[in-house]
Amino acid sequence: MNIFTPHLFRQQFPLIESHDNSLIENDALTPSLVYFDNAATTQKPQRVIDCQQHYYQNINANVHRASHQLSSKATFAFEKARSLVQGFIGANSVKEIIWTKGATESINIIVQSLARNTLVPGDEIALCVSEHHANIVPWQIVAEQTGAVIKVIPITEQGYLDLDQVDNIICERTKFVACAHISNVLGRINPIEQLIAKAKSVGAITVIDGSQAVVHLSVDVKSLDCDFYVFSAHKMYGPTGIGVLYGKRELLESMPPYQAGGEMIKTVSFTQGTTFNSLPFKFEAGTPNIVGVIAFAESINFLAPFLADVLNAYSLFEQKLVHHCYQALANIEQVNFIVEGIPDIGVIAFTLTDHHNHDIAMALDTQGIAVRSGHHCAMPLMTYLHTDGCLRVSLSAYNTITEIDYFIHSLKNILLEESLNQPDKRVSEEVISEPSVKELEEIIAIFTSTKGWDSRHREIMLLGKKLPRLDKALRNEDTVISGCESLAWLKAESSTQGIYSFTGDSDAKIIRGLLVIVFAAFNNKTAQHIHQFNINDYFETLGLMQHLSPSRGNGVLAIVEKIKALAQQ
Ligand code: PMP
């Protein structure tokens, strides 16, 4: 299937196909999945899944090491994949293609192997304000280690890297310029050609984070003339845990190994010293993710023809989806796009007036719609845009117009729904007549008698409404729960007998509901009980594990960690 045809393309993805979304058209049932979180990771086509299985059933052996046929077969497939990636991004040599765990590891290699050994105090590193944390934090660490300084390039109103500011920021002191080809929040194709040219004019090394680009654009590192280009397989229909560090050969040659072990050595001796392997193996210590590499090649074989198609059918279809979704969202009064204009790729970020992004994402989830809410690993961008988070719809070419229409319809319904919009009359009466503090047994009784995520979600929201709001003065640095993606606060009191009681609040209704559930487990308990309590078992009992397994993302883990930290034994 080399010519892009939307329904044939979609059919390649078993996880998508197994949820029968044709039901949306008949309005008969809620579809079980509308997957709009493709910027986080894409689904995998059958041939990639089969390829992994085929590898383990037929080829599995360690690479480069053994003198037997099976190992040769595995090594051949492994190195063939490297050549494929070389061709896919237009690199000069296979020596320039290093396998890593993904974009994050690729950036860390550049930073710790090259930047750490070359930066001196006062040198500058230029980053765009919209970078993913993976392209910020490694640089912050190296700045700390070397005395270098980070300079931040702002964005325009439309969300592009601001070229007008680049001239003021990039100067003779700039040694590294790191920027995303496409931001994972703004969906803008940054003018990296101009950025690279500017960096080169001052002799700075360029690091381009292609994580969001490679699935949408044909990339040619030679014509870009960047020094490094990094990406992950899992965002381009490939497996997780494998990615690429492309680097110009002379730079990679100059860099010491990042990790040491097998494969990256030439000779090892206690008396003569150890010598390192040549590129690319110098950077590939230990047994690599062989199956990942081979399945990654399969995903490139799947994707590359669509990107190379002169008729551009794949990209045009993606554009059609973006335009449709953007226009429909623009017609909803409460929608505020976080930057101006239709994004260049299918990543649309917005907030909703008077609604917390987590509440909307959870409500959409009850309708089978998977979107992302929060800071999207771009907290500096959120600060820059004066928001603490947003919703992100990220589309893939296997999505459909029907799915978008269903999403818009569901979103409008959610916004209309009384429970989210206005104080519910029945509930406000209950607030007065019912105590807000729930006992554990009561919570268990509510959830074990409630079936389905939709109903359980409603119960959580109702519980949230019963939580008394924390006095504004108490929402401060001391009470804030760090790590929770919404703003949330927790206050503990303990009696002389060492019995704890907790109060809390959040700007997201769903978190307020979760606070009530968590408090039921921890209130009026000793520190010992609090530390022994197993939150996972509790969520399992409540039937919430599948939907809200305690994590920092949904806040539960961050709340529990803070409770445990406050309950000193
Ligand atoms: N950069 C960008 C722009 C991304 O979107 C991501 C993943 N969300 C990363 C870097 C990190 O990728 P990975 O987690 O696969 O290493």
Side-chain angles (χ1 to χ4, degrees):
M1 193 195 61
N2 283 350
I3 297 166
F4 178 79
T5 317
H7 74 280
L8 294 181
F9 185 83
R10 184 178 168 89
Q11 275 172 17
Q12 311 295 308
F13 294 83
L15 194 147
I16 297 285
E17 273 296 280
S18 64
H19 297 85
D20 187 7
N21 288 343
S22 64
L23 290 170
I24 308 172
E25 282 156 35
N26 311 327
D27 212 15
L29 268 179
T30 302
S32 45
L33 180 69
V34 170
Y35 186 73
F36 284 173
D37 195 17
N38 294 287
T41 197
T42 55
Q43 299 303 335
K44 318 304 169 201
Q46 189 65 54
R47 57 190 276 185
V48 170
I49 299 166
D50 290 347
C51 175
Q52 300 221 24
Q53 189 171 349
H54 178 267
Y55 170 79
Y56 278 129
Q57 281 181 352
N58 300 281
I59 311 181
N60 181 45
N62 213 328
V63 288
H64 298 306
R65 296 184 188 178
S67 50
H68 56 77
Q69 288 182 46
L70 203 58
S71 173
S72 300
K73 219 169 156 183
T75 306
F76 178 72
F78 185 77
E79 289 306 322
K80 199 169 152 208
R82 203 187 301 267
S83 305
L84 187 75
V85 170
Q86 178 206 340
F88 182 66
I89 59 167
N92 268 324
S93 158
V94 284
K95 291 185 181 299
E96 298 181 321
I97 307 299
I98 315 288
W99 299 124
T100 65
K101 280 194 295 187
T104 303
E105 190 178 48
S106 303
I107 296 169
N108 277 281
I109 293 175
I110 302 164
V111 167
Q112 285 303 315
S113 175
L114 183 63
R116 188 174 183 181
N117 292 312
T118 50
L119 288 169
V120 295
D123 281 350
E124 293 180 3
I125 302 158
L127 308 177
C128 186
V129 70
S130 55
E131 293 313 302
H132 187 281
H133 295 162
N135 204 20
I136 297 176
V137 186
W139 297 107
Q140 289 178 320
I141 291 174
V142 81
E144 186 84 1
Q145 288 165 336
T146 61
V149 178
I150 292 177
K151 295 281 164 177
V152 182
I153 307 169
I155 53 170
T156 63
E157 301 274 292
Q158 289 77 30
Y160 293 103
L161 162 103
D162 192 343
L163 281 176
D164 290 343
Q165 301 292 328
V166 162
D167 280 342
N168 304 329
I169 290 169
I170 297 182
C171 64
E172 296 299 322
R173 288 186 300 280
T174 313
K175 296 295 178 272
F176 287 88
V177 175
C179 177
H181 198 165
I182 301 182
S183 146
N184 63 311
V185 188
L186 307 169
R188 290 298 191 196
I189 304 172
N190 274 322
I192 55 164
E193 292 82 357
Q194 289 97 315
L195 183 73
I196 293 166
K198 176 69 193 170
K200 278 169 72 89
S201 74
V202 298
I205 289 169
T206 47
V207 178
I208 304 300
D209 174 3
S211 303
Q212 295 295 337
V214 274
V215 70
H216 301 291
L217 311 173
S218 281
V219 170
D220 188 298
V221 290
K222 261 206 308 286
S223 66
L224 283 176
D225 202 18
C226 53
D227 294 304
F228 294 100
Y229 196 95
V230 304
F231 54 104
S232 302
H234 69 97
K235 294 186 198 279
M236 48 188 292
Y237 314 123
T240 52
I242 185 74
V244 170
L245 162 60
Y246 157 79
K248 280 187 180 164
R249 189 168 167 178
E250 59 278 18
L251 278 168
L252 291 172
E253 297 280 11
S254 76
M255 291 158 56
Y258 170 71
Q259 285 192 336
E263 196 59 37
M264 49 70 70
I265 54 89
K266 199 176 277 166
T267 57
V268 180
S269 162
F270 284 122
T271 52
Q272 313 284 306
T274 291
T275 55
F276 303 131
N277 208 337
S278 53
L279 288 175
F281 312 112
K282 184 172 77 171
F283 292 104
E284 294 177 1
T287 299
N289 181 357
I290 307 167
V291 70
V293 164
I294 289 164
F296 182 15
E298 192 63 22
S299 72
I300 292 177
N301 282 326
F302 169 75
L303 170 67
F306 301 127
L307 293 175
D309 171 21
V310 283
L311 293 176
N312 244 348
Y314 171 80
S315 306
L316 288 173
F317 183 69
E318 286 194 330
Q319 285 305 313
K320 183 176 160 183
L321 294 177
V322 186
H323 280 241
H324 188 80
C325 190
Y326 184 87
Q327 290 304 348
L329 282 169
N331 288 334
I332 300 176
E333 209 188 328
Q334 294 96 322
V335 166
N336 315 297
F337 295 109
I338 67 165
V339 287
E340 289 173 2
I342 301 182
D344 301 325
I345 60 149
V347 171
I348 308 174
F350 57 97
T351 59
L352 288 153
T353 307
D354 294 336
H355 296 279
H356 196 280
N357 59 75
H358 277 316
D359 290 333
I360 300 293
M362 295 303 281
L364 286 167
D365 186 45
T366 67
Q367 308 296 300
I369 301 165
V371 299
R372 183 83 175 265
S373 67
H375 55 60
H376 312 285
C377 296
M379 285 169 92
L381 174 65
M382 297 300 125
T383 307
Y384 183 82
L385 296 171
H386 307 292
T387 179
D388 60 351
C390 58
L391 283 153
R392 180 184 72 184
V393 168
S394 56
L395 305 166
S396 159
Y398 47 63
N399 291 128
T400 64
I401 295 286
T402 312
E403 285 180 321
I404 294 171
D405 289 344
Y406 170 73
F407 155 68
I408 296 292
H409 175 78
S410 305
L411 180 60
K412 284 182 178 165
N413 279 347
I414 291 165
L415 294 172
L416 273 178
E417 235 192 40
E418 249 187 323
S419 63
L420 279 175
N421 241 342
Q422 299 150 356
D424 177 309
K425 197 166 172 293
R426 182 176 59 88
V427 173
S428 46
E429 278 161 10
E430 279 172 7
V431 172
I432 298 158
S433 60
E434 247 192 56
S436 61
V437 179
K438 294 278 175 197
E439 296 294 338
L440 191 67
E441 295 70 29
E442 223 183 316
I443 294 287
I444 293 174
I446 293 173
F447 283 92
T448 48
S449 64
T450 309
K451 299 280 169 274
W453 175 219
D454 198 6
S455 315
R456 288 182 176 136
H457 172 259
R458 200 165 302 127
E459 288 298 341
I460 300 172
M461 298 304 272
L462 288 173
L463 288 174
K465 289 185 177 187
K466 294 174 188 170
L467 184 74
R469 305 305 304 261
L470 208 60
D471 193 290
K472 275 216 168 84
L474 289 173
R475 297 187 222 162
N476 56 38
E477 289 277 293
D478 293 336
T479 58
V480 76
I481 302 175
S482 58
C484 176
E485 279 214 14
S486 332
L487 273 174
W489 303 270
L490 183 80
K491 196 175 163 298
E493 275 168 36
S494 63
S495 69
T496 43
Q497 288 83 31
I499 304 292
Y500 282 85
S501 64
F502 300 94
T503 44
D505 201 353
S506 171
D507 55 353
K509 290 175 187 153
I510 185 88
I511 301 289
R512 294 207 288 277
L514 289 170
L515 280 168
V516 175
I517 293 173
V518 172
F519 288 165
F522 293 113
N523 261 336
N524 302 322
K525 300 287 183 320
T526 61
Q528 193 190 12
H529 178 100
I530 288 169
H531 282 272
Q532 280 167 358
F533 190 83
N534 187 326
I535 193 73
N536 284 336
D537 289 351
Y538 179 45
F539 268 63
E540 188 85 59
T541 309
L542 301 183
L544 292 176
M545 204 59 180
Q546 208 187 328
H547 312 288
L548 276 169
S549 48
S551 77
R552 289 186 149 259
N554 61 34
V556 176
L557 210 58
I559 297 166
V560 173
E561 278 172 7
K562 176 120 185 168
I563 287 178
K564 290 193 174 174
L566 289 170
Q568 293 303 326
Q569 281 175 302

mmCIF file with all atom_site columns, all heavy atoms in Angstrom, residues 198-218:
data_model
loop_
_atom_site.group_PDB
_atom_site.id
_atom_site.type_symbol
_atom_site.label_atom_id
_atom_site.label_alt_id
_atom_site.label_comp_id
_atom_site.label_asym_id
_atom_site.label_entity_id
_atom_site.label_seq_id
_atom_site.pdbx_PDB_ins_code
_atom_site.Cartn_x
_atom_site.Cartn_y
_atom_site.Cartn_z
_atom_site.occupancy
_atom_site.B_iso_or_equiv
_atom_site.pdbx_formal_charge
_atom_site.auth_seq_id
_atom_site.auth_comp_id
_atom_site.auth_asym_id
_atom_site.auth_atom_id
_atom_site.pdbx_PDB_model_num
ATOM 1   N N   . LYS A 1 198 ? 21.951 31.100 11.132 1.00 0.00 ? 198 LYS A N   1
ATOM 2   C CA  . LYS A 1 198 ? 22.417 32.099 12.112 1.00 0.00 ? 198 LYS A CA  1
ATOM 3   C C   . LYS A 1 198 ? 23.435 31.469 13.066 1.00 0.00 ? 198 LYS A C   1
ATOM 4   O O   . LYS A 1 198 ? 24.484 32.066 13.376 1.00 0.00 ? 198 LYS A O   1
ATOM 5   C CB  . LYS A 1 198 ? 21.203 32.648 12.889 1.00 0.00 ? 198 LYS A CB  1
ATOM 6   C CG  . LYS A 1 198 ? 21.533 33.617 13.982 1.00 0.00 ? 198 LYS A CG  1
ATOM 7   C CD  . LYS A 1 198 ? 22.064 34.935 13.446 1.00 0.00 ? 198 LYS A CD  1
ATOM 8   C CE  . LYS A 1 198 ? 22.674 35.772 14.550 1.00 0.00 ? 198 LYS A CE  1
ATOM 9   N NZ  . LYS A 1 198 ? 23.395 36.945 14.076 1.00 0.00 ? 198 LYS A NZ  1
ATOM 10  N N   . ALA A 1 199 ? 23.106 30.260 13.535 1.00 0.00 ? 199 ALA A N   1
ATOM 11  C CA  . ALA A 1 199 ? 24.018 29.575 14.468 1.00 0.00 ? 199 ALA A CA  1
ATOM 12  C C   . ALA A 1 199 ? 25.373 29.345 13.806 1.00 0.00 ? 199 ALA A C   1
ATOM 13  O O   . ALA A 1 199 ? 26.429 29.568 14.410 1.00 0.00 ? 199 ALA A O   1
ATOM 14  C CB  . ALA A 1 199 ? 23.403 28.248 14.910 1.00 0.00 ? 199 ALA A CB  1
ATOM 15  N N   . LYS A 1 200 ? 25.332 28.929 12.542 1.00 0.00 ? 200 LYS A N   1
ATOM 16  C CA  . LYS A 1 200 ? 26.586 28.656 11.836 1.00 0.00 ? 200 LYS A CA  1
ATOM 17  C C   . LYS A 1 200 ? 27.428 29.932 11.688 1.00 0.00 ? 200 LYS A C   1
ATOM 18  O O   . LYS A 1 200 ? 28.650 29.885 11.751 1.00 0.00 ? 200 LYS A O   1
ATOM 19  C CB  . LYS A 1 200 ? 26.283 28.085 10.442 1.00 0.00 ? 200 LYS A CB  1
ATOM 20  C CG  . LYS A 1 200 ? 25.980 26.587 10.470 1.00 0.00 ? 200 LYS A CG  1
ATOM 21  C CD  . LYS A 1 200 ? 25.421 26.125 9.140  1.00 0.00 ? 200 LYS A CD  1
ATOM 22  C CE  . LYS A 1 200 ? 26.492 26.103 8.083  1.00 0.00 ? 200 LYS A CE  1
ATOM 23  N NZ  . LYS A 1 200 ? 27.214 24.835 8.011  1.00 0.00 ? 200 LYS A NZ  1
ATOM 24  N N   . SER A 1 201 ? 26.725 31.057 11.512 1.00 0.00 ? 201 SER A N   1
ATOM 25  C CA  . SER A 1 201 ? 27.462 32.302 11.298 1.00 0.00 ? 201 SER A CA  1
ATOM 26  C C   . SER A 1 201 ? 28.310 32.687 12.514 1.00 0.00 ? 201 SER A C   1
ATOM 27  O O   . SER A 1 201 ? 29.251 33.452 12.404 1.00 0.00 ? 201 SER A O   1
ATOM 28  C CB  . SER A 1 201 ? 26.500 33.441 10.926 1.00 0.00 ? 201 SER A CB  1
ATOM 29  O OG  . SER A 1 201 ? 25.785 33.837 12.077 1.00 0.00 ? 201 SER A OG  1
ATOM 30  N N   . VAL A 1 202 ? 27.941 32.148 13.697 1.00 0.00 ? 202 VAL A N   1
ATOM 31  C CA  . VAL A 1 202 ? 28.756 32.446 14.889 1.00 0.00 ? 202 VAL A CA  1
ATOM 32  C C   . VAL A 1 202 ? 29.527 31.200 15.345 1.00 0.00 ? 202 VAL A C   1
ATOM 33  O O   . VAL A 1 202 ? 30.118 31.184 16.430 1.00 0.00 ? 202 VAL A O   1
ATOM 34  C CB  . VAL A 1 202 ? 27.896 32.990 16.059 1.00 0.00 ? 202 VAL A CB  1
ATOM 35  C CG1 . VAL A 1 202 ? 27.235 34.297 15.683 1.00 0.00 ? 202 VAL A CG1 1
ATOM 36  C CG2 . VAL A 1 202 ? 26.855 31.970 16.512 1.00 0.00 ? 202 VAL A CG2 1
ATOM 37  N N   . GLY A 1 203 ? 29.446 30.151 14.544 1.00 0.00 ? 203 GLY A N   1
ATOM 38  C CA  . GLY A 1 203 ? 30.204 28.933 14.870 1.00 0.00 ? 203 GLY A CA  1
ATOM 39  C C   . GLY A 1 203 ? 29.568 28.071 15.946 1.00 0.00 ? 203 GLY A C   1
ATOM 40  O O   . GLY A 1 203 ? 30.234 27.229 16.555 1.00 0.00 ? 203 GLY A O   1
ATOM 41  N N   . ALA A 1 204 ? 28.250 28.271 16.193 1.00 0.00 ? 204 ALA A N   1
ATOM 42  C CA  . ALA A 1 204 ? 27.586 27.462 17.226 1.00 0.00 ? 204 ALA A CA  1
ATOM 43  C C   . ALA A 1 204 ? 27.136 26.120 16.645 1.00 0.00 ? 204 ALA A C   1
ATOM 44  O O   . ALA A 1 204 ? 26.866 26.015 15.445 1.00 0.00 ? 204 ALA A O   1
ATOM 45  C CB  . ALA A 1 204 ? 26.381 28.220 17.778 1.00 0.00 ? 204 ALA A CB  1
ATOM 46  N N   . ILE A 1 205 ? 27.045 25.142 17.527 1.00 0.00 ? 205 ILE A N   1
ATOM 47  C CA  . ILE A 1 205 ? 26.620 23.793 17.116 1.00 0.00 ? 205 ILE A CA  1
ATOM 48  C C   . ILE A 1 205 ? 25.101 23.704 17.236 1.00 0.00 ? 205 ILE A C   1
ATOM 49  O O   . ILE A 1 205 ? 24.519 24.153 18.230 1.00 0.00 ? 205 ILE A O   1
ATOM 50  C CB  . ILE A 1 205 ? 27.328 22.747 18.003 1.00 0.00 ? 205 ILE A CB  1
ATOM 51  C CG1 . ILE A 1 205 ? 28.807 22.718 17.613 1.00 0.00 ? 205 ILE A CG1 1
ATOM 52  C CG2 . ILE A 1 205 ? 26.692 21.362 17.875 1.00 0.00 ? 205 ILE A CG2 1
ATOM 53  C CD1 . ILE A 1 205 ? 29.682 21.943 18.549 1.00 0.00 ? 205 ILE A CD1 1
ATOM 54  N N   . THR A 1 206 ? 24.465 23.118 16.218 1.00 0.00 ? 206 THR A N   1
ATOM 55  C CA  . THR A 1 206 ? 23.000 23.079 16.204 1.00 0.00 ? 206 THR A CA  1
ATOM 56  C C   . THR A 1 206 ? 22.471 21.680 16.525 1.00 0.00 ? 206 THR A C   1
ATOM 57  O O   . THR A 1 206 ? 22.948 20.685 15.985 1.00 0.00 ? 206 THR A O   1
ATOM 58  C CB  . THR A 1 206 ? 22.461 23.500 14.823 1.00 0.00 ? 206 THR A CB  1
ATOM 59  O OG1 . THR A 1 206 ? 23.193 22.809 13.818 1.00 0.00 ? 206 THR A OG1 1
ATOM 60  C CG2 . THR A 1 206 ? 22.590 24.982 14.616 1.00 0.00 ? 206 THR A CG2 1
ATOM 61  N N   . VAL A 1 207 ? 21.466 21.668 17.395 1.00 0.00 ? 207 VAL A N   1
ATOM 62  C CA  . VAL A 1 207 ? 20.821 20.418 17.802 1.00 0.00 ? 207 VAL A CA  1
ATOM 63  C C   . VAL A 1 207 ? 19.342 20.565 17.481 1.00 0.00 ? 207 VAL A C   1
ATOM 64  O O   . VAL A 1 207 ? 18.656 21.403 18.064 1.00 0.00 ? 207 VAL A O   1
ATOM 65  C CB  . VAL A 1 207 ? 21.010 20.176 19.323 1.00 0.00 ? 207 VAL A CB  1
ATOM 66  C CG1 . VAL A 1 207 ? 20.293 18.908 19.758 1.00 0.00 ? 207 VAL A CG1 1
ATOM 67  C CG2 . VAL A 1 207 ? 22.488 20.123 19.684 1.00 0.00 ? 207 VAL A CG2 1
ATOM 68  N N   . ILE A 1 208 ? 18.845 19.764 16.539 1.00 0.00 ? 208 ILE A N   1
ATOM 69  C CA  . ILE A 1 208 ? 17.434 19.879 16.173 1.00 0.00 ? 208 ILE A CA  1
ATOM 70  C C   . ILE A 1 208 ? 16.680 18.660 16.709 1.00 0.00 ? 208 ILE A C   1
ATOM 71  O O   . ILE A 1 208 ? 17.042 17.517 16.452 1.00 0.00 ? 208 ILE A O   1
ATOM 72  C CB  . ILE A 1 208 ? 17.252 19.992 14.637 1.00 0.00 ? 208 ILE A CB  1
ATOM 73  C CG1 . ILE A 1 208 ? 18.058 21.174 14.077 1.00 0.00 ? 208 ILE A CG1 1
ATOM 74  C CG2 . ILE A 1 208 ? 15.764 20.119 14.280 1.00 0.00 ? 208 ILE A CG2 1
ATOM 75  C CD1 . ILE A 1 208 ? 17.704 22.546 14.612 1.00 0.00 ? 208 ILE A CD1 1
ATOM 76  N N   . ASP A 1 209 ? 15.625 18.970 17.483 1.00 0.00 ? 209 ASP A N   1
ATOM 77  C CA  . ASP A 1 209 ? 14.786 17.921 18.044 1.00 0.00 ? 209 ASP A CA  1
ATOM 78  C C   . ASP A 1 209 ? 13.667 17.642 17.035 1.00 0.00 ? 209 ASP A C   1
ATOM 79  O O   . ASP A 1 209 ? 12.716 18.412 16.912 1.00 0.00 ? 209 ASP A O   1
ATOM 80  C CB  . ASP A 1 209 ? 14.228 18.409 19.394 1.00 0.00 ? 209 ASP A CB  1
ATOM 81  C CG  . ASP A 1 209 ? 13.219 17.444 19.988 1.00 0.00 ? 209 ASP A CG  1
ATOM 82  O OD1 . ASP A 1 209 ? 12.981 16.378 19.392 1.00 0.00 ? 209 ASP A OD1 1
ATOM 83  O OD2 . ASP A 1 209 ? 12.670 17.769 21.058 1.00 0.00 ? 209 ASP A OD2 1
ATOM 84  N N   . GLY A 1 210 ? 13.806 16.526 16.325 1.00 0.00 ? 210 GLY A N   1
ATOM 85  C CA  . GLY A 1 210 ? 12.851 16.198 15.265 1.00 0.00 ? 210 GLY A CA  1
ATOM 86  C C   . GLY A 1 210 ? 11.725 15.274 15.724 1.00 0.00 ? 210 GLY A C   1
ATOM 87  O O   . GLY A 1 210 ? 11.005 14.731 14.882 1.00 0.00 ? 210 GLY A O   1
ATOM 88  N N   . SER A 1 211 ? 11.541 15.139 17.048 1.00 0.00 ? 211 SER A N   1
ATOM 89  C CA  . SER A 1 211 ? 10.566 14.165 17.574 1.00 0.00 ? 211 SER A CA  1
ATOM 90  C C   . SER A 1 211 ? 9.186  14.282 16.936 1.00 0.00 ? 211 SER A C   1
ATOM 91  O O   . SER A 1 211 ? 8.543  13.280 16.653 1.00 0.00 ? 211 SER A O   1
ATOM 92  C CB  . SER A 1 211 ? 10.396 14.354 19.085 1.00 0.00 ? 211 SER A CB  1
ATOM 93  O OG  . SER A 1 211 ? 11.620 14.243 19.722 1.00 0.00 ? 211 SER A OG  1
ATOM 94  N N   . GLN A 1 212 ? 8.721  15.518 16.750 1.00 0.00 ? 212 GLN A N   1
ATOM 95  C CA  . GLN A 1 212 ? 7.363  15.679 16.216 1.00 0.00 ? 212 GLN A CA  1
ATOM 96  C C   . GLN A 1 212 ? 7.363  15.859 14.699 1.00 0.00 ? 212 GLN A C   1
ATOM 97  O O   . GLN A 1 212 ? 6.296  15.904 14.090 1.00 0.00 ? 212 GLN A O   1
ATOM 98  C CB  . GLN A 1 212 ? 6.680  16.901 16.850 1.00 0.00 ? 212 GLN A CB  1
ATOM 99  C CG  . GLN A 1 212 ? 6.433  16.779 18.337 1.00 0.00 ? 212 GLN A CG  1
ATOM 100 C CD  . GLN A 1 212 ? 5.436  15.682 18.691 1.00 0.00 ? 212 GLN A CD  1
ATOM 101 O OE1 . GLN A 1 212 ? 4.607  15.271 17.877 1.00 0.00 ? 212 GLN A OE1 1
ATOM 102 N NE2 . GLN A 1 212 ? 5.515  15.186 19.918 1.00 0.00 ? 212 GLN A NE2 1
ATOM 103 N N   . ALA A 1 213 ? 8.537  15.946 14.098 1.00 0.00 ? 213 ALA A N   1
ATOM 104 C CA  . ALA A 1 213 ? 8.577  16.284 12.673 1.00 0.00 ? 213 ALA A CA  1
ATOM 105 C C   . ALA A 1 213 ? 8.607  15.058 11.763 1.00 0.00 ? 213 ALA A C   1
ATOM 106 O O   . ALA A 1 213 ? 7.943  15.033 10.720 1.00 0.00 ? 213 ALA A O   1
ATOM 107 C CB  . ALA A 1 213 ? 9.794  17.161 12.398 1.00 0.00 ? 213 ALA A CB  1
ATOM 108 N N   . VAL A 1 214 ? 9.374  14.049 12.165 1.00 0.00 ? 214 VAL A N   1
ATOM 109 C CA  . VAL A 1 214 ? 9.682  12.949 11.235 1.00 0.00 ? 214 VAL A CA  1
ATOM 110 C C   . VAL A 1 214 ? 8.446  12.186 10.733 1.00 0.00 ? 214 VAL A C   1
ATOM 111 O O   . VAL A 1 214 ? 8.504  11.572 9.676  1.00 0.00 ? 214 VAL A O   1
ATOM 112 C CB  . VAL A 1 214 ? 10.688 11.958 11.866 1.00 0.00 ? 214 VAL A CB  1
ATOM 113 C CG1 . VAL A 1 214 ? 12.105 12.409 11.640 1.00 0.00 ? 214 VAL A CG1 1
ATOM 114 C CG2 . VAL A 1 214 ? 10.412 11.749 13.335 1.00 0.00 ? 214 VAL A CG2 1
ATOM 115 N N   . VAL A 1 215 ? 7.355  12.245 11.477 1.00 0.00 ? 215 VAL A N   1
ATOM 116 C CA  . VAL A 1 215 ? 6.153  11.534 11.032 1.00 0.00 ? 215 VAL A CA  1
ATOM 117 C C   . VAL A 1 215 ? 5.326  12.384 10.047 1.00 0.00 ? 215 VAL A C   1
ATOM 118 O O   . VAL A 1 215 ? 4.443  11.879 9.370  1.00 0.00 ? 215 VAL A O   1
ATOM 119 C CB  . VAL A 1 215 ? 5.305  11.068 12.244 1.00 0.00 ? 215 VAL A CB  1
ATOM 120 C CG1 . VAL A 1 215 ? 4.652  12.244 12.960 1.00 0.00 ? 215 VAL A CG1 1
ATOM 121 C CG2 . VAL A 1 215 ? 4.272  10.028 11.850 1.00 0.00 ? 215 VAL A CG2 1
ATOM 122 N N   . HIS A 1 216 ? 5.645  13.650 9.964  1.00 0.00 ? 216 HIS A N   1
ATOM 123 C CA  . HIS A 1 216 ? 4.856  14.546 9.110  1.00 0.00 ? 216 HIS A CA  1
ATOM 124 C C   . HIS A 1 216 ? 5.615  15.078 7.899  1.00 0.00 ? 216 HIS A C   1
ATOM 125 O O   . HIS A 1 216 ? 4.996  15.441 6.901  1.00 0.00 ? 216 HIS A O   1
ATOM 126 C CB  . HIS A 1 216 ? 4.369  15.762 9.919  1.00 0.00 ? 216 HIS A CB  1
ATOM 127 C CG  . HIS A 1 216 ? 3.518  15.410 11.095 1.00 0.00 ? 216 HIS A CG  1
ATOM 128 N ND1 . HIS A 1 216 ? 2.248  14.886 10.966 1.00 0.00 ? 216 HIS A ND1 1
ATOM 129 C CD2 . HIS A 1 216 ? 3.756  15.471 12.425 1.00 0.00 ? 216 HIS A CD2 1
ATOM 130 C CE1 . HIS A 1 216 ? 1.745  14.663 12.170 1.00 0.00 ? 216 HIS A CE1 1
ATOM 131 N NE2 . HIS A 1 216 ? 2.636  15.007 13.078 1.00 0.00 ? 216 HIS A NE2 1
ATOM 132 N N   . LEU A 1 217 ? 6.931  15.188 8.010  1.00 0.00 ? 217 LEU A N   1
ATOM 133 C CA  . LEU A 1 217 ? 7.713  15.856 6.963  1.00 0.00 ? 217 LEU A CA  1
ATOM 134 C C   . LEU A 1 217 ? 8.843  14.969 6.469  1.00 0.00 ? 217 LEU A C   1
ATOM 135 O O   . LEU A 1 217 ? 9.384  14.179 7.241  1.00 0.00 ? 217 LEU A O   1
ATOM 136 C CB  . LEU A 1 217 ? 8.410  17.111 7.523  1.00 0.00 ? 217 LEU A CB  1
ATOM 137 C CG  . LEU A 1 217 ? 7.632  18.121 8.334  1.00 0.00 ? 217 LEU A CG  1
ATOM 138 C CD1 . LEU A 1 217 ? 8.598  19.149 8.893  1.00 0.00 ? 217 LEU A CD1 1
ATOM 139 C CD2 . LEU A 1 217 ? 6.606  18.798 7.447  1.00 0.00 ? 217 LEU A CD2 1
ATOM 140 N N   . SER A 1 218 ? 9.240  15.175 5.219  1.00 0.00 ? 218 SER A N   1
ATOM 141 C CA  . SER A 1 218 ? 10.477 14.562 4.749  1.00 0.00 ? 218 SER A CA  1
ATOM 142 C C   . SER A 1 218 ? 11.620 15.398 5.300  1.00 0.00 ? 218 SER A C   1
ATOM 143 O O   . SER A 1 218 ? 11.638 16.613 5.125  1.00 0.00 ? 218 SER A O   1
ATOM 144 C CB  . SER A 1 218 ? 10.554 14.614 3.223  1.00 0.00 ? 218 SER A CB  1
ATOM 145 O OG  . SER A 1 218 ? 9.765  13.600 2.705  1.00 0.00 ? 218 SER A OG  1
#
